[in-house]
Amino acid sequence: NTIKIFRKVSISSIPKKWQNLVLAIKEIEKIISMDYLDIEFGINKKNEIIIFQVRPITSIRKKLGNKNEEITQKIINNFKKKFNDEQKSEKILGQKTFFSDMTDWNPAEIIGNNPNSLDYSIYKYLIMRDSWEKGRHIIGYQKIKQKNLMMKFGNKPYVDIRKSFNSLIPENLENKEKLLKYYFDKFEKNPHLHDKAEFEILFTCYDFLIERRLNELLDYGFTKRDIKKLKESLLKFTNKIIDDYPVLLEQSNNSLIIMTKNREKILKKIKNESNYMKILNATQILLDDCKNHGTIPFSTMARIAFISSILLKSLVKNNSVDSNWAEKLMNSINTPLSRFREDYEKNSRKKISRKSFLKEYGHLRPGTYDITAKRYDSTTKFLSDVKFTETNKPKMGKYMDINLNKIFQKHGLKINQKEFITFIKSSLRQREELKFEFTRNLSEALELIVNAGEKLGLSRDELKDLEISDILSYNKFSKKDFKLFLKKKIIQQRKKASVNQNLILPPILFSKKDFEIIKSHIVKPNFITQKSVINEIVYLDDLTSIPDLNNKIIVIENADPGYDWIFTKNPAGLVTKYGGVASHMAIRCAEMSLPAVIGCGDIIFEKLTMSSKISLDCKNNQITILENKIIDDYVEERKVLKSLGYIK
């Protein structure tokens, strides 16, 4: 486990078990006038501190209590006030709120833990301002008045849990306030579920374990009659979504057609344009189209895909189907990645041209919202030395060896087995198609911003430190004043980001104390497939040059759709620090039948970055470090004890 304590915090605020240790550390710092220290200690049964060894981490000496600590203290105090202010709201159900970086729309996975200003603001503009809620309301979730789902503390993006949970309550449910109380209580007691809330905490739809799950509500003021009514409402709600799905799918496809036509028309009109105002006007139209015809339908389809995933997972959990059956079903889904593989092979055999291939996939970039990231069509490094693993897609007939129709009838779900399989595959595929297509608009908009920036004398590196609202305010200024305005904003943002770099923030904020005392909560990683693999790892933290990934286990902080190129390098497995059970990379790895651990958390990830060889046993949910780049005495001791049979 890990705990990080801000050095200016009062002793009384520190958990009791660590108070004497912190006092001992302060005494040591005073004696040797240094605070860059590595201290080995023990605590006995009398709660006495025994210091074994003290050594400096660096030769740099500095005076205690430097200016940065005072600035950080001031920022933390501001955060505490901001956190308290956010607790009060009359426009939304719930007496309090928490903040998480992965509970809904996964900002830590999509834009990272420390995003550029432009990344954050475009993600907010396209999705987190209101598209996320509009898409849900279309299919019957309750409408909420407070829409901004995401906010920042320092440089780190968080999701407002109260808004998220409210938006996932179907309109037809009763006792919404009592439900929220249960949700918050379960969330607080089980922080390791913060990236699995829709599967393990919330009742967003009917599932095949619903009776067992709903019984927990008896401890929260619900009667058996209330629970029966809630179950019936969830069943009715889910049946309506299944019934409406063909129409919603058609509307989604129509949106894609409109967005594609509009984009081609805009780009044709703006080609060779030299006026930065016209270029930025086209940028705004592309982004608004992306929102109206891309991210709002995507929000709807993403929700339906979650419902299909919840139904499938609950069938596995209640032993109606085994995990191998579910894995084969997921492996049979064809997303844009399958098409990408097929087209690349056609290009290799000269059946389609490189130009045609890049026209279809060239808009992708690792870091979908990052203006500094190179697109596939502007660099050769992502698509060179391609090695695909052979994957045999199971045929539909393979799924007919079991009969689920009786289970559906027993539960009152108005769907048969064939329709159910189609529903799962189609909803997940459509979610990925929408994401693939709306990122075209986003990617083209980013390139237009670069184009306009060149006309104004601004580089990609400068543009990344602006907000999209700054860039789209072009019509309020003359060219000279606009450039001065942007330069000033860049300086301000860089100064602010630099100050915030001193902060360490946790994945979840439960109270204002979490800004000063940061506990790493136990994480429950998401294991994909039932496979096992032992191999060397590659920590992919810098894309300036791509190492050899062939038959290696890739370890990476976060990966969005722009990272699909890694599947062209024949990896042996994948581990990410951030990511949910139904996130983009989880779907991709299931489709490719690639053993993976999605969302392993801070502590495991940090150990993996110091390792050189690991074992992934996805069937038994285990990650084992076999070889270290840096010798870890504790790990080595455990290996010896394990080999001698003293520990498991």
Side-chain angles (χ1 to χ4, degrees), residues 199 209 308-318 581-582:
F199 292 91
L209 293 169
S308 70
S309 297
I310 288 166
L311 289 167
L312 179 60
K313 284 179 185 298
S314 64
L315 277 175
V316 175
K317 281 186 177 178
N318 78 352
V581 64

Side-chain angles (χ1 to χ4, degrees), residues 270-306:
I270 206 72
K271 197 177 180 184
N272 301 321
E273 181 58 63
S274 59
N275 185 315
Y276 76 92
M277 294 182 83
K278 287 183 180 178
I279 295 168
L280 291 178
N281 180 54
T283 302
Q284 179 146 21
I285 296 168
L286 275 177
L287 290 174
D288 289 343
D289 245 35
C290 181
K291 185 175 174 178
N292 296 325
H293 302 298
T295 59
I296 293 174
F298 173 71
S299 174
T300 301
M301 202 52 65
R303 187 87 286 282
I304 295 171
F306 263 102

Side-chain angles (χ1 to χ4, degrees), residues 323-436:
S323 51
N324 286 324
W325 188 91
E327 187 179 321
K328 282 175 187 172
L329 175 56
M330 294 298 289
N331 185 221
S332 72
I333 296 169
N334 285 304
T335 72
L337 180 59
S338 299
R339 203 165 62 242
F340 175 84
R341 286 169 60 102
E342 288 165 15
D343 286 349
Y344 193 89
E345 283 166 7
K346 284 178 186 174
N347 171 239
S348 303
R349 296 197 304 269
K350 307 230 179 312
K351 287 195 173 180
I352 61 169
S353 67
R354 180 81 172 174
K355 188 178 177 182
S356 299
F357 176 79
L358 290 175
K359 188 181 177 186
E360 182 65 12
Y361 306 101
H363 67 284
L364 295 169
R365 63 177 92 216
T368 300
Y369 293 80
D370 184 1
I371 201 166
T372 66
K374 294 269 189 185
R375 287 170 36 136
Y376 287 11
D377 60 8
S378 64
T379 178
T380 56
K381 64 182 175 183
F382 300 129
L383 298 177
S384 60
D385 195 27
V386 169
K387 295 182 182 74
F388 284 121
T389 312
E390 282 299 314
T391 54
N392 297 314
K393 294 279 181 186
K395 293 205 168 101
M396 281 298 291
K398 299 271 184 188
Y399 304 113
M400 297 305 154
D401 52 359
I402 60 168
N403 191 346
L404 297 173
N405 290 329
K406 285 182 181 177
I407 294 168
F408 298 151
Q409 285 166 14
K410 179 188 167 187
H411 283 265
L413 213 59
K414 294 174 182 175
I415 195 169
N416 64 39
Q417 182 166 313
K418 191 174 179 182
E419 289 165 344
F420 177 69
I421 289 166
T422 302
F423 178 63
I424 290 171
K425 293 176 71 169
S426 172
S427 60
L428 287 165
R429 183 175 60 244
Q430 189 67 8
R431 183 186 86 157
E432 297 304 310
E433 287 289 351
L434 279 160
K435 192 187 296 179
F436 182 77

Side-chain angles (χ1 to χ4, degrees), residues 468-514:
I468 190 62
S469 57
D470 300 330
I471 292 166
L472 297 181
S473 64
Y474 62 90
N475 53 4
K476 296 177 183 175
F477 303 90
S478 67
K479 185 174 182 178
K480 185 184 174 185
D481 289 343
F482 185 45
K483 188 175 175 180
L484 288 170
F485 165 75
L486 295 180
K487 286 276 189 186
K488 188 179 176 184
K489 285 282 183 180
I490 291 164
I491 292 164
Q492 287 172 352
Q493 182 51 39
R494 285 182 173 178
K495 188 178 177 184
K496 189 177 169 185
S498 174
V499 169
N500 287 330
Q501 292 282 37
N502 293 319
L503 295 162
I504 296 171
L505 292 166
I508 312 171
L509 294 167
F510 285 114
S511 78
K512 60 183 184 180
K513 287 182 181 176
D514 292 331

Side-chain angles (χ1 to χ4, degrees), residues 599-614:
C600 71
D602 293 350
I603 296 171
I604 295 172
F605 190 82
E606 194 173 322
K607 286 191 176 292
L608 291 178
T609 59
M610 296 187 290
S611 309
S612 57
K613 192 175 185 180
I614 65 171

